[in-house]
Amino acid sequence: MVFILYPNVKKEKIDSFISGWEQKGFSTILSIGTEHTAVCLIGNTAEVDLDHAVQTSEIVSYGKRITEQYKAVNRTVHEDNTIIRVGGVSVGEGYFTVISGPCSVESEEQILEIALSVQKSDAKILRGGAFKPRSSPYAFQGRQAQGLEMLKTVKRKTGLPIVSEIMNQTQIELFEEIDIVQIGARNMQNFDLLKEVGKLKKPVLLKRGLANTIDELLMSAEYIVSAGNGQVILCERGIRTFETMTRNTLDLSAVVLLKQKTHLPVIADPSHASGIRSLVPPLAKAALAVGADGIMVETHNNPAKALCDGAQSLDLNQFENLMDELKIRAAVEKKEI
Ligand code: PEP
Ligand code: MN
């Protein structure tokens, strides 16, 4: 249940309204938007008489029931788009932020060469996996803590903010200097990890699980935001369907729906969604066309020799060409790239 307050209500009145509900056993979310201030109740609101609650309060303009279980990430509760700022870069409505880099960090030379090149092409954030979740225990598992050190060195040399995947909560300290913590598809419902990154004061890139619904993705984001960290970027990275010709199926309607349902930024990952290099540029352009706030694209200085996901990685020239095409389209969409 959400109460929309009259404009310019004094803070003391809002505080006493909130504490009244909290004394009755409800939790609350206060959302101060540009158009209005809202107070959302969390708890057994089925027992609350909405009309009575509105009529008996001098500060409430109107109220409505929220059917969705997610509240903090719900656009109905929080009207303004969340724009995430990281190292001078913005992610959210009005921007098309491109994150690029290799699937995994292989060596300092490799990550530096890729970083300098994608930066020249105007990617704003560098990606690179240090801890890799692989289906096979025999596959390359990433450079791990050493890989994070390589990323930090490259961040110092280029100034690019870094995103890298965390696999479990024991790794939190290692990520101290990493700008954005990624939760991968396989960990989307690792609730202990979600609660832990909810305590961080840095952005979290939350990827949709291979077989998770849009609702479940929003509930996972709710875990992080309700734990105190409002800086969540959602990522549609393809879901598993009956189709075998692509690695996954990019669910573009999820991008559109997510933008409607939540105020959080939504990006797409055309690399893991397709698994095929030639599909990446068209899907990247499609993501921009349906309203994504950005993309994450895998790039490599030598895709044929990549230790992970070479078949879906663009080489550095292909990435530059894609960026040229995206820049034209971003201007049409009135988004800053
Ligand atoms: C990745 O981005 O490196 C990755 C492993 O992706 P996903 O979790 O979407 O499979
Ligand atoms: Mn990958």
Side-chain angles (χ1 to χ4, degrees):
M1 182 172 293
V2 63
F3 297 114
I4 310 300
L5 309 188
Y6 289 120
N8 308 318
V9 176
K10 290 222 162 56
K11 186 179 172 300
E12 304 82 71
K13 293 210 166 169
I14 300 176
D15 289 346
S16 103
F17 178 71
I18 286 174
S19 71
W21 285 107
E22 290 184 347
Q23 276 159 25
K24 287 183 191 147
F26 293 93
S27 319
T28 59
I29 299 169
L30 172 65
S31 168
I32 301 169
T34 40
E35 292 292 314
H36 58 237
T37 296
V39 175
C40 176
L41 291 193
I42 297 168
N44 188 9
T45 53
E47 289 176 359
V48 177
D49 180 338
L50 178 62
D51 291 339
H52 182 258
V54 172
Q55 281 154 19
T56 52
S57 165
E58 51 167 359
I59 69 167
V60 174
S61 162
Y62 62 95
K64 51 186 164 187
R65 293 196 181 273
I66 302 173
T67 47
E68 296 94 355
Q69 285 202 68
Y70 49 91
K71 315 288 180 192
V73 306
N74 198 315
R75 220 180 238 294
T76 312
V77 175
H78 188 289
E79 57 166 348
D80 292 345
N81 287 301
T82 292
I83 312 275
I84 290 169
R85 320 257 177 209
V86 52
V89 177
S90 301
V91 188
E93 188 65 32
Y95 299 89
F96 191 75
T97 310
V98 179
I99 304 172
S100 181
C103 180
S104 50
V105 180
E106 297 171 11
S107 67
E108 204 171 300
E109 298 71 49
Q110 173 244 19
I111 188 72
L112 183 61
E113 184 183 341
I114 297 170
L116 289 170
S117 176
V118 299
Q119 185 174 40
K120 221 169 119 227
S121 304
D122 285 327
K124 291 293 186 298
I125 299 172
L126 178 69
R127 66 150 285 145
F131 296 95
K132 294 304 304 173
R134 304 303 301 276
S135 300
S136 163
Y138 309 119
F140 175 59
Q141 302 287 310
R143 297 274 180 245
Q144 320 244 324
Q146 242 191 334
L148 291 180
E149 291 307 314
M150 294 173 195
L151 283 168
K152 288 188 226 168
T153 304
V154 170
K155 174 183 163 177
R156 277 192 289 275
K157 289 187 176 166
T158 62
L160 283 170
I162 305 285
V163 56
S164 197
E165 178 169 354
I166 192 167
M167 299 249 287
N168 63 64
Q169 50 276 44
T170 67
Q171 295 169 346
I172 293 260
E173 275 178 23
L174 292 172
F175 281 72
E176 203 171 319
E177 287 171 56
I178 302 298
D179 303 278
I180 305 176
V181 172
Q182 176 174 325
I183 305 234
R186 290 151 191 86
N187 260 324
M188 190 203 89
Q189 287 190 313
N190 181 339
F191 300 115
D192 286 340
L193 181 58
L194 298 176
K195 286 177 196 164
E196 217 47 50
V197 298
K199 296 181 196 159
L200 297 178
K201 303 224 166 352
K202 64 169 84 182
V204 175
L205 174 60
L206 178 64
K207 299 189 86 174
R208 181 180 182 186
L210 280 70
N212 284 111
T213 63
I214 295 167
D215 219 53
E216 286 165 342
L217 173 58
L218 288 164
M219 290 311 294
S220 289
E222 185 81 10
Y223 263 94
I224 303 170
V225 177
S226 67
N229 186 354
Q231 301 185 79
V232 178
I233 303 164
L234 300 173
C235 181
E236 159 56 38
R237 48 78 71 207
I239 49 173
R240 187 162 283 188
T241 66
F242 52 80
E243 184 54 68
T244 54
M245 213 179 268
T246 50
R247 184 174 178 181
N248 292 289
T249 298
L250 182 61
D251 184 3
L252 282 175
S253 52
V255 173
V256 181
L257 270 166
L258 285 166
K259 289 286 295 176
Q260 290 174 4
K261 301 284 180 195
T262 178
H263 51 88
L264 296 173
V266 180
I267 68 167
D269 170 351
S271 307
H272 292 91
S274 64
I276 303 171
R277 182 176 309 126
S278 65
L279 294 195
V280 172
L283 293 181
K285 289 181 262 180
L288 170 58
V290 298
D293 300 309
I295 45 168
M296 180 155 81
V297 181
E298 285 186 344
T299 44
H300 201 282
N301 50 348
N302 187 356
K305 291 270 168 65
L307 294 182
C308 188
D309 286 351
Q312 67 194 33
S313 300
L314 298 183
D315 70 24
L316 301 173
N317 278 330
Q318 289 164 335
F319 179 70
E320 189 183 359
N321 293 338
L322 170 60
M323 287 300 288
D324 288 343
E325 294 192 68
L326 288 171
K327 284 174 195 171
I328 297 165
R329 288 159 173 82
V332 173
E333 301 289 341
K334 299 193 173 51
K335 281 172 184 262
E336 195 176 306
I337 188 162

